[in-house]
Each structure stands twice: as structure tokens, then as C-alpha cells.
Amino acid sequence: MVTFLMDTAELVVGLLPEISADLDISVSSAGLMVTVFAIGMMVGAPLMAMATLRLPRRFTLIASLLVFAAGHVIGALSPTFALALIGRFVSALATGTFWAVGAVVATAAAGPAASSRVMGVVIGGVTLANIVGGRRCDLRTHRAGTQRARPRRGGRNGRGPRLVVRARPRAARGRRAA
């Protein structure tokens, strides 16, 4: 569920004309929002995984989701293109962190016999977001306009930390979760 929520907010390609109009920039310049996110993910995953290695995993997942949501809200409410890019980059770093730590948590919770299946479920959230979630959000944004829809789109990701707090691996049920 969390990967679905994250991926629906990260997809902005269908919104580039609206974003360019809102920020008074060209569509090709607005495309930098996609590039900056990709660079942030590429840099963020390994660096943030190493930087958070000694932190509790659950804390790291929750913190990355909060930073992700904050980055999207900052980017969505930004009056300037530069601030929107900073918001995208911050969100991308948090996404890289979530993916790196989330993959470890998911496979460890599932155990060796089911780790591949669990990663399939995690990636399934991304697949659904690409097929359904992003398109649905794009349609809403086209109707409402980006200045109204983008903050809701980013803010919706505030649900992610609650999902992580509630999630407990089977082995941890009945005793304190790590």
C-alpha cells in the first residue's frame, strides 16, 4: 500500500503542461522535475541506506515517509520553480531511503522462503500506481488545476507512516515490534 501511495505522488509526467503554466516556465523546463527526482533516487538509495544503517528500521521508514510527504507539499505549494525542484529532490532522497530499507524489512519479515514473493507484492504497489493511481490523480489534477490538486496529492502520503506503524511482522505479533 505504501509503495502505491508513494508512486502515485511521484508521477508528474502527465501534469507537466499544467505545472509549466502554474510556474510560468516551458514544458521542457518542467520536465526537469522528472530528472531531478530520478537523480535524487539514484543518489538517495545507496547514500541514505548507509547513512541510516544504525537507526531502527521502523523509525527510518516512518521518517522517510514523513520527509517524502513534506517534500511533495513543499514542491506543490512552491511559488518558484527552484523551490519545486528542491521539494522533488528531497522527496526523491526519501523515496530512495524507503526503498532501500523497505526491501530489507519486507524480505526479513517474510523469511527466506517467501522473500521473493514479498518483493513481488511490494513491486506490485508500484505497478498498480503506474497503471491506475497516477492516471487517476492526473485526471483529478486536470479537472481541479495543479494548485489545488498537487498539495492534496502530496499530503495524501501522510497515510504512509500510519501504515508502517500498524504493520507488524508475524514473528513480532504477540511481542513488541522492533
Side-chain angles (χ1 to χ4, degrees):
M1 184 56 135
V2 174
T3 56
F4 176 82
L5 290 170
M6 289 181 86
D7 220 53
T8 56
E10 98 181 36
L11 301 169
V12 296
V13 174
L15 305 176
L16 294 180
E18 286 85 357
I19 292 169
S20 71
D22 285 346
L23 296 173
D24 197 27
I25 56 173
S26 68
V27 174
S28 59
S29 292
L32 283 173
M33 294 182 87
V34 176
T35 304
V36 164
F37 196 90
I39 291 169
M41 282 281 295
M42 184 178 66
V43 170
L47 290 180
M48 296 307 291
M50 288 186 294
T52 61
L53 194 58
R54 298 194 193 286
L55 297 175
R57 291 177 180 162
R58 185 177 294 241
F59 171 81
T60 303
L61 290 174
I62 292 168
S64 68
L65 289 168
L66 291 172
V67 171
F68 176 82
H72 274 283
V73 171
I74 289 167
L77 297 176
S78 64
T80 66
F81 183 53
L83 192 55
L85 288 177
I86 290 169
R88 292 285 291 166
F89 188 76
V90 167
S91 292
L93 287 175
T95 302
T97 305
F98 182 85
W99 276 99
V101 176
V104 171
V105 169
T107 55
S115 62
S116 296
R117 184 176 38 218
V118 162
M119 283 308 298
V121 170
V122 170
I123 299 297
V126 175
T127 304
L128 282 174
N130 282 305
I131 295 169
V132 178
R135 306 306 158 244
R136 188 172 141 235
C137 288
D138 286 351
L139 287 172
R140 283 185 177 168
T141 302
H142 288 300
R143 286 188 199 130
T146 56
Q147 291 301 349
R148 286 184 51 216
R150 285 190 306 160
R152 281 188 299 198
R153 194 173 189 178
R156 179 182 61 237
N157 287 292
R159 296 179 197 162
R162 287 183 295 204
L163 293 171
V164 172
V165 168
R166 283 191 215 154
R168 295 175 75 184
R170 286 187 185 148
R173 290 185 187 144
R175 59 186 163 114
R176 293 180 136 179

